[in-house]
Amino acid sequence: MAQHLALPTPEGNLEVERELFRDLVAVEGGFLLTGDPGTGKTALIRRLAQHYRDRGHDVVLLDASDYVDNVSGMLRRKLETVLADWEGEDPGHLFIDALDGDRGGMAKELSRTVELLAGTRWRTVASARLYDITYNRRWHKAFSGDPIAAEGGHRVKALEKVRHFRVTGLTGTELAHVGAQVPGLGRVLTGIDTDLLSIPFNLYLVCELLKLDAWPNDWNGHLDQGALLERYWDERVMDVMDEEQQTRRQLLRELCQLMLGTRRLQVSRGDVSSEHGAISQGLVSNGVLRQIPPRFAHGMPLLAFGHHIFFDYAVSQLVLSDGDGSLLVRLLNDQPNLVFVARPAIDLHLTATWHADPTRGLFAEVCRGLARAEHDLAGVAAANIAVGLARTETDVDWLVSALLNGEERVPEQVVGWAIGVLRCWKERDVQARRVVVRVWVSVATALAQKLEVAFRAKPVNLLHQLLQRLHELDPLRPEAEAPQERAECVAALMTSGLEDTADRGQIVAMASRYLPVAIAVNSAHTDLLLRVINDEPTRRHNPNVFLYLVEGAVDIARGAPESAAELLEMVWGLEGDRHEKTSISQGVIALSSNLAQDFEGVRYEVGQVFSDVLPLIGIEAACRILAIATHEDYYPEAVLRGSYVLRFQGEEGHAVYNLATLENSAGYDAPVEMLSALLDWAEQTGMDGVAITVRYLVRHVWHPGVWTSVMERARGGRPGWQAIAVELLSSGALIANSVTRRTAADLLGTLSPRVNDTEHARLEESILTAAGIVSSDVQQPDTRVIDELVSFLDPERMSRPLLVERLREVQQLDEPPEVFFGGSTSGFHAHTDEERFGEAVSEELGKERLAVIGRLENLTHQVNRGADPQPWQELGALFLETVRDQVLLDRVGPDTEDTVAMVIVTAAAQLARDWNMTSESDLGWKAYQVLQLAIGQGPGAKGDQE
């Protein structure tokens, strides 16, 4: 087997040392050796056998291609029985070479033997081509387990559950070592693609040609394995007189047909026509064929090709071709299973048809024939050739012309095959992927042009899939390959969907995945975005469209920042039917959602992309989006009781009374993420940026939760926040508003010892202003507000007489007043239950129930002040007592302005946010129930368990 182990040179055979051989020797247990044709699997498996034999191990080496004829038939007992009875203490090694040599059954009997030997002292190592083994479940089972290689090129993704090792080509070091020792090879290596010669079989062909002095000084034309085989064929097969050429062709054709018929790569010499006997000897002597001695004294020798690739090439030349044309389609019509037996030969034949003429006319003819006859497996092989060899758009002109000339089924079938092949190109290098994209964009453009003529579902699906494959290979962006053409294809896809969004909503959703990047490439496509977001059926029934658009908002902002801002504004107004179910996934358990929840998911995504979009759309647009996101219309549990005028650097706005918190806001707390991103970005731009941001917030945002967060950031922010915070408090609005008062008090306490005298005077004045706002008597400030806040100021710096006086009064109290939360409504204090809850509610519920609500409200505010578990436990117990009263629980629901309900909801939110509860506890479940009722979702809604 020297041809498998060494390279021919004028000085003799040169053995190639493989670096990966050491890795294979270190492997314990059985495994499958696989790889592309010609990578040296046979050489490695035979060298492994020799390695263990030299060390005294028990070794059995079989060739799967002749096992049935020459081994199995000679055994009286099954092979596994023979090996099991073979006595020995050391591990035994069964090596099976070329499982693909049995083209019909893939050595079915041997797979059974391998399975039965499991657990014995015998381990099995077998080799097979990657194509043949990838989908052979029988051998997957026989070698089930984890791949040998931890990662990298020696493992195959499709064989993740198979104990295998993928043989790759020679490394650069190995190739350089060989090139230095073979005369003339170094010159060859510098002139052609080394990837081609890293395959040992191809290197063998080159060395043979060099040895014969048949390598041309300048190789003209394409150079691939087919070209090497053609040159070798001319030297080894056709380098004889014309008459003998014809006889050799007849012999090799006969051998190929016999092998294809029996599905084995060996035939008995007795089955070959007698007149070819002498001719076969010549082919054996030059290595094209090999003769296998008979197993019996009077038996006939077997004939086989010197390498399986020689067989494949012979089939491609002598069986699949008639010289000037292709017989492939005709043969497949007669023998559909030929594609399984002769797939490598079909690949070589299709490659030859590709190179037959520069217009790819013959190749196109074969593709059309395969499509008409629906030979899909051979069609995929043809598509693989087209994707791999096409270098310019002219290489696929035949396909583009067929699409544009009105043909439908045939060219579309070819495009479908190519899309399947493109899935496998993601692992190729960047340059190769960009070439593929450049070529196949022309096909996508042809499909887009077909849509402009008439709508048909097939080209729509093909265009979407092709754009998806191209995006995986080279993501669409302004610097990508052919960006303008791909953006136009996206626009054509979206346009076809917008023609009838009620029936073509799925097309709109498909195009929405790529419309953002199309806009980044060419802002002229913004008009499509505006059509989408203003389309009523899409707004009501297609949340996926908006989800894809929001996910791509950064790309939209790069091309059209105003349109990106408009998109992020309008999603807060999307409403879906809670009763219209939508499917999330299908599997063992079918999951479902509803349109309302899906649109909430869209709003959640706004919070995720906001930090990246913000620098592109500008600070005022970002504040405007936050204002819309926090508007009370989007909070069904919000209660708007009044508003307080807020002033900052000439801007005037409002801070409303609203018990809803940002944490329980629309979009699954997206506004919290948005505000955090906004303040982070402002601080990164410097304190001028913070001041500008606060000014725009005053202009646009009313929600008290936003101002609570701003004040919390001011307390722990950079020193520059100090002056901004003083001015923000000076209008008194954030102190007067009982929802923001507690945080404002903390901010007063932080600022008081730090600010200068002028700023401190403004802090004192802000308390007096707030007390005047709250008071029902415009002439007299509400001293209770002053009493709550005065102790937060530094007493040594206090200068306002009324504040000094009230501080003395407070200091004489046994327990200073707490900062009130939630009791201030529209500028006055509620002194009685009737004022607090209204006469009708007071009469309906009675004093006892209202007393419970009052205690619940007070406890809810108290637990905010520390980590002492006692108040939390009291709050939890009182909350359970409250919600077990069905009369009180029935008041909780969406779209309510009921103050009693809001106290219960606020307590539930406080418990859920700040206390360590579990969904298994009664308290946790009741709090969850209340929050679900508050937003209009009953039990069974998506996310219950969470």
Side-chain angles (χ1 to χ4, degrees), residues 268-319:
S268 171
R269 184 127 188 196
D271 294 333
V272 180
S273 301
S274 58
E275 64 268 21
H276 294 152
I279 297 297
S280 65
Q281 281 301 115
L283 293 173
V284 169
S285 64
N286 64 20
V288 175
L289 298 178
R290 61 189 176 96
Q291 185 168 286
I292 303 170
R295 299 290 182 178
F296 302 98
H298 302 291
M300 294 294 293
L302 299 176
L303 283 177
F305 280 87
H307 195 284
H308 292 174
I309 298 179
F310 288 156
F311 163 77
D312 297 326
Y313 185 74
V315 171
S316 73
Q317 292 292 305
L318 304 174
V319 178

Side-chain angles (χ1 to χ4, degrees), residues 181-360:
Q181 298 187 66
V182 177
L185 183 58
R187 172 175 57 85
V188 173
L189 290 173
T190 59
I192 63 176
D193 182 12
T194 54
D195 287 342
L196 176 66
L197 296 192
S198 70
I199 305 301
F201 176 80
N202 297 341
L203 190 60
Y204 169 83
L205 294 179
V206 172
C207 290
E208 275 283 315
L209 293 172
L210 288 171
K211 181 180 177 182
L212 297 170
D213 197 24
W215 187 268
N217 291 327
D218 294 310
W219 190 290
N220 295 319
H222 70 277
L223 180 59
D224 55 17
Q225 188 180 70
L228 289 175
L229 283 165
E230 182 181 0
R231 188 79 179 186
Y232 178 84
W233 187 266
D234 290 341
E235 293 296 327
R236 286 301 197 183
V237 177
M238 309 309 293
D239 190 21
V240 291
M241 300 298 291
D242 291 346
E243 183 176 348
E244 187 175 349
Q245 281 186 19
Q246 184 63 25
T247 307
R248 283 187 170 190
R249 290 174 64 88
Q250 290 174 356
L251 167 64
L252 293 174
R253 183 181 294 110
E254 182 181 3
L255 288 175
C256 289
Q257 291 171 338
L258 287 170
M259 292 176 181
L260 290 173
T262 60
R263 299 195 176 187
R264 292 198 178 92
L265 299 189
Q266 297 175 350
V267 297
S268 171
R269 184 127 188 196
D271 294 333
V272 180
S273 301
S274 58
E275 64 268 21
H276 294 152
I279 297 297
S280 65
Q281 281 301 115
L283 293 173
V284 169
S285 64
N286 64 20
V288 175
L289 298 178
R290 61 189 176 96
Q291 185 168 286
I292 303 170
R295 299 290 182 178
F296 302 98
H298 302 291
M300 294 294 293
L302 299 176
L303 283 177
F305 280 87
H307 195 284
H308 292 174
I309 298 179
F310 288 156
F311 163 77
D312 297 326
Y313 185 74
V315 171
S316 73
Q317 292 292 305
L318 304 174
V319 178
L320 303 180
S321 174
D322 61 0
D324 296 325
S326 173
L327 302 175
L328 176 60
V329 177
R330 186 192 308 172
L331 290 172
L332 288 174
N333 289 339
D334 295 335
Q335 307 173 56
N337 289 335
L338 183 65
V339 70
F340 298 105
V341 183
R343 169 60 191 272
I346 291 174
D347 288 342
L348 288 170
H349 173 70
L350 290 169
T351 302
T353 63
W354 177 271
H355 292 299
D357 65 273
T359 65
R360 316 304 175 203

Side-chain angles (χ1 to χ4, degrees), residues 587-603:
V588 178
I589 299 176
L591 302 177
S592 65
S593 179
N594 61 56
L595 281 179
Q597 290 173 331
D598 291 347
F599 280 120
E600 277 296 277
V602 174
R603 290 185 270 271

Side-chain angles (χ1 to χ4, degrees), residues 393 434 437-438 441-442 444-445 467 470-471 474-491 514-523 525:
E393 294 88 336
R434 290 180 69 92
V437 170
R438 182 169 62 247
V441 162
S442 62
T445 300
L467 288 174
L470 298 180
H471 189 72
D474 181 27
L476 178 57
R477 54 194 186 281
E479 63 273 18
E481 195 70 40
Q484 295 292 341
E485 293 87 344
R486 291 160 68 181
E488 290 295 335
C489 290
V490 173
Y514 307 107
L515 183 59
V517 284
I519 293 172
V521 170
N522 186 347
S523 60
H525 299 307

Side-chain angles (χ1 to χ4, degrees), residues 311-446:
F311 163 77
D312 297 326
Y313 185 74
V315 171
S316 73
Q317 292 292 305
L318 304 174
V319 178
L320 303 180
S321 174
D322 61 0
D324 296 325
S326 173
L327 302 175
L328 176 60
V329 177
R330 186 192 308 172
L331 290 172
L332 288 174
N333 289 339
D334 295 335
Q335 307 173 56
N337 289 335
L338 183 65
V339 70
F340 298 105
V341 183
R343 169 60 191 272
I346 291 174
D347 288 342
L348 288 170
H349 173 70
L350 290 169
T351 302
T353 63
W354 177 271
H355 292 299
D357 65 273
T359 65
R360 316 304 175 203
L362 179 58
F363 182 82
E365 180 184 336
V366 173
C367 287
R368 282 192 288 268
L370 294 172
R372 291 191 189 99
E374 298 183 351
H375 293 305
D376 289 331
L377 290 178
V380 171
N384 192 51
I385 298 299
V387 171
L389 296 182
R391 292 292 178 268
T392 65
E393 294 88 336
T394 57
D395 285 330
V396 292
D397 277 350
W398 55 276
L399 183 55
V400 170
S401 298
L403 289 169
L404 296 179
N405 289 339
E407 296 184 56
E408 293 181 358
R409 190 179 68 83
V410 170
E412 289 171 4
Q413 183 72 13
V414 176
V415 174
W417 292 334
I419 289 171
V421 170
L422 287 170
R423 291 177 182 272
C424 305
W425 273 71
K426 290 184 287 186
E427 305 302 322
R428 305 297 179 96
D429 64 82
V430 174
Q431 186 57 38
R433 296 200 306 269
R434 290 180 69 92
V435 169
V436 167
V437 170
R438 182 169 62 247
V439 171
W440 289 89
V441 162
S442 62
V443 176
T445 300

Side-chain angles (χ1 to χ4, degrees), residues 86 91 147 164 170 199 379 391 486 508 572 728:
W86 187 337
H164 74 280
L170 299 177
I199 305 301
R391 292 292 178 268
R486 291 160 68 181
V508 176
W572 299 93
L728 192 59

